[in-house]
Each structure stands twice: as C-alpha cells, then as structure tokens.
Amino acid sequence: MGVVYAISNQKGGVGKTTTAVNVAACLAAEGSQTLLVDLDPQCNATVALGGERDMHPSSYDCLIGEVSVAEAARPAGPDNLWLVPANRDLAGAAVELPRIDGSETRLRERLGPVRERFAYTLLDCPPSLGPVSVNALTAADRVLVPVQAEYLALEGLVQFLDTLATIRRELNPRLEVSGLLVTMHDERTRLAQDVERELRQHFPEMVFETVIPRSVRVAEAPSYGLPVTEHSPRSRGSEAYRALAGELAARG
Ligand SMILES: Nc1ncnc2c1ncn2[C@@H]1O[C@H](COP(=O)(O)OP(=O)(O)OP(=O)(O)O)[C@@H](O)[C@H]1O
Ligand SMILES: [Mg+2]
C-alpha cells in the first residue's frame, strides 16, 4: 500500500513546494509510481513541473467536486511522476469548504485508489492552516515539515506540532510526523548552524539527517519547469533531495 505525505508548515516560504516537487521527482526516478498533488492556489508546484495555472481537472475539483484524486492525476513529464495540478479556482475552496458538512474529510474521501496506484502521494500544502491544509492533514498518513535554516521560529513550530496533535485527536488518529527537514541551509553562516543545532536539540529523533543546502540551482529549476534533479542532476541540491528520498524510502 502506498503512503500519503502532507508537506506542510503554516509558515510561508520555507521550502514546502521545492521539497514536494524535488522529493517526488527523486522517488519517481528511483522507479516508484509517485503522485504530487498541488493544494496551493499559488500553483507553484504545478508551474515548477512546467504546467499552467488553468488546468482541469484540478485539486479544486477533487475538494469541491466529485472527481477523485486518482482520476485527476496526469503524467507530469518525468517517468513515473504524476501531477494533480492546482488552478486559480482553489483560492475559493477556503471559503466554500466550511459551508460543506464534514468538509474536513473531503480530500480523504476523494483520494480514490491512490494508495493502490502510487507508492508515494505528496500533498503540497499552502502556507496557512486553513481548510485546505486541514483536509491534507486529515487525508495524509505522515507529515513532512520543512523548516528554513535562516530563521528559527520555534514558537511557530511548536504551535504547528500542537495543531497536528489536535488533528490526530479529532480527525486523523494515524497521522505521524515523518520528520522535520532543514532547508535553505547555508553552511557559511553561523545562523544556519545554530538553527540546525537547536532543532536537533529540541526535537531529537525528529529531524531528518539530510539537510537541504541553499543552492542557486534549486532556486532556478522551477523557471525551467523542471525538478532540480533534471535541471542540474549533479548539483548539491539534487544530491540532497536524492538522499532525502532515500531516507523516506528506508522508512517504508
Ligand atoms: N534549497 C534552496 N536553495 C535556494 N532557494 C530555495 C531553496 N529552497 C527553496 N528556495 C526558494 O525559496 C523560495 C520559497 O520556497 P518554496 O516556494 O519551496 O517555499 P514554500 O514553503 O512552498 O512557500 P509558500 O509558503 O509560499 O508555499 C522559492 O523562491 C524557492 O525557489
Ligand atoms: Mg509552496
């Protein structure tokens, strides 16, 4: 049975989408059928894989309409990699969802046979804990939390982990934290090292061994519509995301 991961952190710009796209690409390159679901109306994951912001069916149709996630999946380019795109409609979902009874479980109910078809399904969440993120966390088996190494908001992180506990209690008892991922790590700065050390101290066992370095190749890959592993396969960013995919695969 496949595993569904939410890539989530309510803080913006911490590397959620970059991680979702590149880890998905690495898992696919290793031969696993992998699905990336873009759940952010910014459509950054969709665009990073060369898509447009107006594709149908989209994740909005899964959340609000009757389309299943499995049905909405389309080939994303690289072998074994599939995408459910986001489009601009998704901005309305945050308003529409609360009007629907039991809306927190919409996405879970709409997954369809994704766990049979895909070894990995990655849900790229928006930067808020609104209804769409709650749906993702309710549908997921595990949550991967990117944390930017340039700024440690421990308070924000603790708050986020508390929210996960609430979701586990009320909506999704099997939700596990897959791990905290240090992103945009610039080894030349003391701050990056401090953030990494503090994270490992505060959350022992929870922080992935792999650290994602700050890298121009990683930042520029989306403008080519490619994962960094295709844009610049030998870069340090590519190596890091391959190592992270290895850590995920090793956990089964
Ligand atoms: N390892 C990295 N090296 C350099 N730049 C990076 C790296 N990771 C992410 N970035 C850049 O940082 C910015 C934010 O990254 P990203 O979009 O992945 O974050 P996000 O958490 O998905 O943001 P949002 O909360 O808006 O969805 C982007 O411009 C991205 O290209
Ligand atoms: Mg994003």
Side-chain angles (χ1 to χ4, degrees), residues 93-109:
V95 181
E96 290 167 68
L97 277 169
R99 295 187 192 140
I100 303 171
D101 264 353
S103 66
E104 297 90 346
T105 55
R106 288 290 282 200
L107 189 64
R108 177 159 77 197
E109 286 153 14

Side-chain angles (χ1 to χ4, degrees), residues 7 11-20 38 40 42-45 124-127:
I7 318 298
K11 188 162 160 40
V14 296
K16 293 182 290 294
T17 300
T18 304
T19 296
D38 189 349
D40 187 342
Q42 297 179 97
C43 311
N44 290 342
D124 182 31
C125 294

